[in-house]
Amino acid sequence: MLKIAVCVSGGGTNLQALIDGVNKGLIANTRIVRVISNNRNAYALERAAQAGIDALCVSPRDFDDREQFNKALVRAVDEAEPDLVVLAGFLVVIPPELIRKYENRIVNIHPSLIPSFCGTGYYGLKVHEAALARGVKVTGATVHFVDEGTDTGPIIMQKPVAVQAGDTPEILQRRVMEEAEWVILPQSINLIASGKVQVVDGHVEIDSRKG
Ligand code: GRF
């Protein structure tokens, strides 16, 4: 059984895709053991409650400094004893200590085809605003392992999404979520839960032979 802790900040639609994937059997042998949000108003916490999943808020506002917040966040993850940490719309810089403790055991969903439109400052709608400003014809989403950099870890899955005439950042964001994020995040977790994913020399190898 793959135990996963999911970190969220907002609406939680990616969390919901994971909850639904587990419940429908699309994600094998997996249990979401904890949901952690930095935002006490995140609807993702309501989604966790509705699904009966342990959930808590660890907000930077409740701590004197970033170091104390980081320690509390690491503690909140460790307490759940997860095999994998999933960042699903989590808008917090991940403490280096967490990355070291969970090397190649933290995955993130980013709403572009990395290495385009990623790194510091590229999150949420800003990603889609940049894609439209550049005039790309294809964008998409990426699931990757988290390393010490920002959106720089080994890529697990990507899915392209066509940009359409008249797209606004909001319309494009929704299409990328519906057609890419909510598809490849559950698929990636299922691959990991099935033992089909390994990192070799900084690149992800997926074993397509395993049943
Ligand atoms: C989405 O734009 C997603 O791409 C990014 O965070 C945003 C909110 O996602 N990772 P969610 O609805 O909270 O899962």
Side-chain angles (χ1 to χ4, degrees):
M1 179 68 71
L2 184 77
K3 297 191 299 179
I4 64 175
V6 185
C7 297
V8 295
S9 296
T13 63
N14 280 287
L15 167 66
Q16 192 64 56
L18 295 176
I19 293 170
D20 296 345
V22 169
N23 291 341
K24 293 174 182 173
L26 300 174
I27 303 175
N29 196 32
T30 294
R31 185 159 65 90
I32 302 171
V33 293
R34 174 165 276 189
V35 171
I36 300 168
S37 179
N38 63 306
N39 170 11
R40 67 184 68 262
N41 299 316
Y43 187 68
L45 289 171
E46 177 60 30
R47 295 181 190 272
Q50 288 172 12
I53 299 170
D54 170 50
L56 76 161
C57 176
V58 180
S59 169
R61 295 179 183 172
D62 297 336
F63 299 91
D64 293 336
D65 55 40
R66 176 58 62 166
E67 184 179 352
Q68 295 307 312
F69 166 73
N70 285 349
K71 287 187 183 332
L73 181 62
V74 172
R75 191 163 50 246
V77 173
D78 285 347
E79 283 170 354
E81 298 181 326
D83 301 302
L84 184 74
V85 180
V86 180
L87 309 181
F90 194 53
L91 301 177
V92 167
V93 175
I94 303 303
E97 180 191 353
L98 194 70
I99 295 170
R100 283 193 298 272
K101 291 181 83 168
Y102 294 85
E103 185 179 7
N104 289 331
R105 291 199 294 145
I106 305 174
V107 300
N108 181 51
I109 175 83
H110 182 76
S112 77
L113 296 176
I114 289 173
S116 297
F117 313 116
C118 66
T120 304
Y122 286 102
Y123 57 90
L125 271 183
K126 293 175 185 289
V127 174
H128 306 290
E129 288 166 356
L132 291 172
R134 182 63 185 84
V136 298
K137 303 307 179 188
V138 176
T139 185
T142 301
V143 178
H144 64 94
F145 285 113
V146 173
D147 64 8
E148 305 275 356
T150 304
D151 302 328
T152 55
I155 291 172
I156 302 168
M157 286 189 81
Q158 294 186 298
K159 192 170 192 302
V161 174
V163 178
Q164 296 177 10
D167 271 350
T168 64
E170 292 77 7
I171 291 171
L172 184 55
Q173 177 179 52
R174 184 72 190 185
R175 185 179 312 120
V176 168
M177 292 166 90
E178 288 176 346
E179 296 183 8
E181 297 178 41
W182 301 345
V183 174
I184 62 173
L185 185 57
Q187 287 179 344
S188 296
I189 304 308
N190 183 54
L191 286 171
I192 294 169
S194 306
K196 296 184 179 181
V197 174
Q198 61 176 349
V199 179
V200 178
D201 297 333
H203 288 78
V204 170
E205 293 186 357
I206 294 175
D207 183 348
S208 57
R209 292 168 303 155
K210 287 192 178 181

